[in-house]
Structures are given as C-alpha cells and as structure tokens.
Amino acid sequence: MILDPNDLSAGDLYGYLSTAVAPRPIAFVSTVDANGRVNLSPFSYFNVFSTRPPILVFSPIRRGRDGSAKDTLNNVHEVAEATISIVNYPMVEQVSLTSTEYPTGVNEFGKGGFTEVASEVVRPPRVGEAPVCFECRVNEVIALGEGGGAGNLVVCEVLRIHVQEGMLDDDGKLATRKLDLVARLGGSDYARITPETLFEIPKPLRNCGMGIDQLPAHIRQSTVLTGNNLGRLANQEQLPDADTINQVRDLPDVQRARRRGTVHLHELAQVYLREGRVVEALAMLV
Ligand SMILES: Cc1cc2nc3c(=O)[nH]c(=O)nc-3n(C[C@H](O)[C@H](O)[C@H](O)COP(=O)(O)O)c2cc1C
C-alpha cells in the first residue's frame, strides 16, 4: 500500500503518523501566561534533540476543528519558559485527565490532582509527582504551518534537572528499571516499560562489527536464523579463529546437533545467542 498524504482526511493522516511513529515519550508541560496563570498539559510529539546544549522539543498542534492555538502555545509566546516533566505509570491516568480541553485560565494542576512545586529558575511551577522534571527556557518557537493540525516546535533549553528520590541505580545513574516509564502509541494505546519488557543490545562501541555482508553465505541464507540473529552475530569484530572453532565443534551438544543436520545446528546457535554466547554460536555456524 502506498499513500499520498494529500489524499487522506486529517483524521486518517493523524492515525497513520501517530500509530507508526510510536512509542513516543510524553512531555508533561507547565507554562504560565503573562498574568502568571498556570497551565499544565501533556504532549507526546516530544523528544530530546541535543545533549550540549541540552535541548528538548515538543509540539502543540493547532486544533483540527478551527486551527486555534492551544493554551500552552499561547503561553510560551507570552512567557518563554516551561517545565517538562517525564510521565511514568503511577501518574498516567491523571496526566490523561489534564488533556481535557478546560477553558483558558483553568489550572490543570488542580484538575489532575498534581502538586505544584516552585521551580528554581523559571516561573512555571513543576509537578511534584514527576520522576524527572526539566526546568527550561524556551529559545525558539517554530511554526510548521498555519491551519488545523499544524505543529509548533517549542525548542526548550534545559536549565535544571530534578530527579525524584529512588530513581537512581547503585552507581548513582538514572535507572530505566526504576522509572516505570510510559509511552503513547496510536489511538488510545499506551505502553509501560517494565523490567520484563526491556532487553539489551550490546553496543559496538570500541570495536567495529564486521557486518552481515562478512558472514559466510550459508549463515546469511539460513532458513532458521532471523535478521536479529544475524545482526547479533555480525556485531562481532571478526570470525572466530581455528582454535575456537575446533573447541566449540567438540562440545557434546554441538556434535549432536551437527549429526542431526543444519537446521538443528542453527537452532542450537539460536539457543547460544539467547544465552549471550555469541562467539560460540558463530564458531559452531562457521
Ligand atoms: C498522552 C497525550 C499526549 C498528547 N500529545 C499531544 C501533542 O503532542 N500535541 C498536541 O497538540 N496535543 C497533544 N495532546 C492533547 C493535548 O494535551 C490537549 O489538546 C490539551 O488540552 C492541550 O492543553 P492546552 O490548551 O492547555 O495547552 C496529548 C494528549 C495526551 C493525553
């Protein structure tokens, strides 16, 4: 199926974009207007775009029905400051509630039952319940269009980072396994990041993965090994040397699998990969 965005209704276009570009983190944004009235709303068109300077960007889009601007957008034009809180599971239903289109001037801290905590260097208060909150100066607002659905990139520079107690690991680093993060997907779907849903991929940081094109053809063309299996194998710097290959060939389970045929050998390699024994998996395949 190939689609031209110009042929799609606004709703369908939103559906394709927001369902495919997922999961998205959620920025829970507090702002104030020129009179100091506080606003709080979630935005999942959001990410980090620079480390130094530390830049976060979120996008309040113009309302589909009349192209009008959301309070958050008006506020950052009036007072170029915001706090961006990261949303985790314990607060996500309350966060969703604050996305109700309350009239301008209504403070959604109250509607969502959140605690206003005075920020250190910006006027908008921050969300006391958030696991992490960034105090930001708004450097720039870039309008991406004028009509309904048009985004506005709110470019925020982080001035302070607040981290809730209990969110660090033993090394003092922010711990994914403690944050209990949530993400927005298409429609009404959300995802929760728990230790069970996490998996690790070793980074080829110091070394340089040899690449799938360097694997022997009979491995690349395996009917058993998946793209993920090949990616993990080819993350090794080089093929194993003869000694390693001979040692692995002598392992009883490898000998047994070899006798039973290629499919069994490749299935055993998958077991080794799952156990993190990548060199041995590669050696038995070579
Ligand atoms: C999880 C979640 C993510 C959202 N993401 C966005 C977004 O990225 N952009 C947007 O314009 N609206 C988004 N919304 C809707 C706004 O939160 C909603 O329009 C809100 O009323 C805007 O508030 P404001 O007028 O006070 O700024 C999202 C709503 C939820 C619940």
Side-chain angles (χ1 to χ4, degrees):
M1 185 169 73
I2 301 176
L3 302 159
D4 180 338
N6 294 312
D7 298 336
L8 298 173
S9 69
D12 286 346
L13 184 53
Y14 173 75
Y16 283 111
L17 293 171
S18 63
T19 306
V21 185
R24 295 181 304 283
I26 304 169
F28 199 25
V29 179
S30 74
T31 53
V32 293
D33 68 11
N35 297 316
R37 291 186 301 179
V38 173
N39 193 87
L40 181 65
S41 302
F43 297 94
S44 69
Y45 286 11
F46 164 59
N47 223 303
V48 50
F49 286 92
S50 169
T51 305
R52 198 172 290 280
I55 300 291
L56 309 179
V57 177
F58 69 93
S59 176
I61 58 179
R62 289 189 172 274
R63 292 193 185 89
R65 56 172 188 275
D66 56 7
S68 60
K70 297 187 177 180
D71 294 336
T72 302
L73 180 58
N74 289 331
N75 286 0
V76 294
H77 280 302
E78 290 179 20
V79 177
E81 295 175 346
T83 78
I84 299 182
S85 292
I86 296 303
V87 175
N88 67 359
Y89 185 75
M91 63 197 284
V92 67
E93 297 265 355
Q94 291 166 272
V95 170
S96 173
L97 181 58
T98 66
S99 75
T100 306
E101 298 262 338
Y102 293 111
T104 300
V106 169
N107 181 344
E108 289 92 353
F109 272 90
K111 293 292 174 196
F114 288 108
T115 310
E116 272 185 47
V117 179
S119 294
E120 292 230 324
V121 294
V122 298
R123 276 161 280 182
R126 63 187 177 89
V127 176
E129 288 76 7
V132 180
C133 180
F134 301 98
E135 292 187 33
C136 303
R137 177 178 60 229
V138 174
N139 286 347
E140 214 181 338
V141 181
I142 302 168
L144 301 176
E146 259 129 53
N152 296 273
L153 302 186
V154 182
V155 181
C156 300
E157 180 161 348
V158 176
L159 305 178
R160 292 286 184 278
I161 305 173
H162 298 266
V163 179
Q164 206 178 51
E165 231 178 280
M167 296 297 159
L168 303 181
D169 62 20
D170 294 342
D171 300 334
K173 300 215 171 96
L174 199 54
T176 300
R177 282 162 182 75
K178 296 193 173 162
L179 283 169
D180 203 0
L181 295 168
V182 290
R184 181 89 192 269
L185 296 95
S188 303
D189 285 333
Y190 288 76
R192 180 179 183 180
I193 307 303
T194 62
E196 299 75 49
T197 59
L198 284 170
F199 63 94
E200 287 184 59
I201 299 179
K203 275 191 221 149
L205 270 187
R206 269 173 231 96
N207 63 339
C208 175
M210 75 179 103
I212 289 176
D213 55 358
Q214 296 305 305
L215 294 174
H218 71 275
I219 299 180
R220 274 187 279 128
Q221 288 157 11
S222 166
T223 55
V224 175
L225 298 170
T226 66
N228 282 336
N229 294 153
L230 297 181
R232 180 62 70 95
L233 291 167
N235 190 31
Q236 292 297 304
E237 231 166 325
Q238 60 204 15
L239 294 172
D241 57 27
D243 279 354
T244 310
I245 293 172
N246 288 332
Q247 277 166 20
V248 171
R249 190 171 289 168
D250 288 344
L251 295 173
D253 53 350
V254 174
Q255 284 183 352
R256 210 174 311 120
R258 279 168 63 85
R259 277 197 300 275
R260 294 173 71 195
T262 305
V263 167
H264 291 276
L265 189 66
H266 287 205
E267 284 172 353
L268 183 64
Q270 283 182 316
V271 173
Y272 274 45
L273 284 174
R274 275 198 292 278
E275 292 170 354
R277 300 163 71 184
V278 184
V279 174
E280 288 158 288
L282 194 50
M284 82 172 73
L285 292 166
V286 169

